[in-house]
Amino acid sequence: MANVIDDETMEYVGILAKLELSEDEREAAKKDMGRMLDYIDQLNELDTAGVEPMSHVLSTRNVFREDVVTNGDGREDTLYNAPETKGDMFVAPKTFE
């Protein structure tokens, strides 16, 4: 394990993350962070020359379609079922004076 996290760094990370860790939790977190940094170092050793950067591992395309009304709004049918209408609106009792 080449990356060793010291207590000062762990304290700083705890402050930034607003965490209060016990001594055991702090030691476990230091080991975990060291392993993560080791893995990142290992990934940095990979030859990525000629690899096109991407924003997602799967190929994505625009899945949006035109918003076209195909069945109408059904306003006439809806108003037909209303007990009372005025023009294109429902008539409802007042809820406040």
Side-chain angles (χ1 to χ4, degrees):
M1 190 157 114
N3 290 296
V4 177
I5 309 297
D6 60 0
D7 290 330
E8 184 178 307
T9 303
M10 216 37 233
E11 185 70 28
Y12 181 65
V13 169
I15 291 169
L16 290 176
K18 298 187 186 310
L19 295 174
E20 290 184 27
L21 301 174
S22 68
E23 189 61 36
D24 292 338
E25 292 171 328
R26 188 176 298 121
E27 289 302 316
K30 282 171 47 175
K31 288 178 186 175
D32 288 343
M33 289 176 68
R35 284 195 299 264
M36 285 186 259
L37 292 174
D38 288 340
Y39 185 68
I40 291 170
D41 288 342
Q42 186 179 3
L43 290 176
N44 284 333
E45 293 174 6
L46 295 173
D47 180 21
T48 57
V51 177
E52 185 178 333
M54 58 184 168
S55 61
H56 199 278
V57 294
L58 302 174
S59 61
T60 58
R61 61 182 174 77
N62 187 355
V63 295
F64 296 114
R65 61 171 170 72
E66 278 298 313
D67 188 15
V68 179
V69 176
T70 57
N71 62 347
D73 62 3
R75 182 180 321 165
E76 293 83 18
D77 294 335
T78 304
L79 288 173
Y80 178 77
N81 291 319
E84 189 178 350
T85 61
K86 182 177 182 182
D88 287 343
M89 299 176 284
F90 293 101
V91 174
K94 289 183 180 181
T95 56
F96 60 92
E97 296 286 330

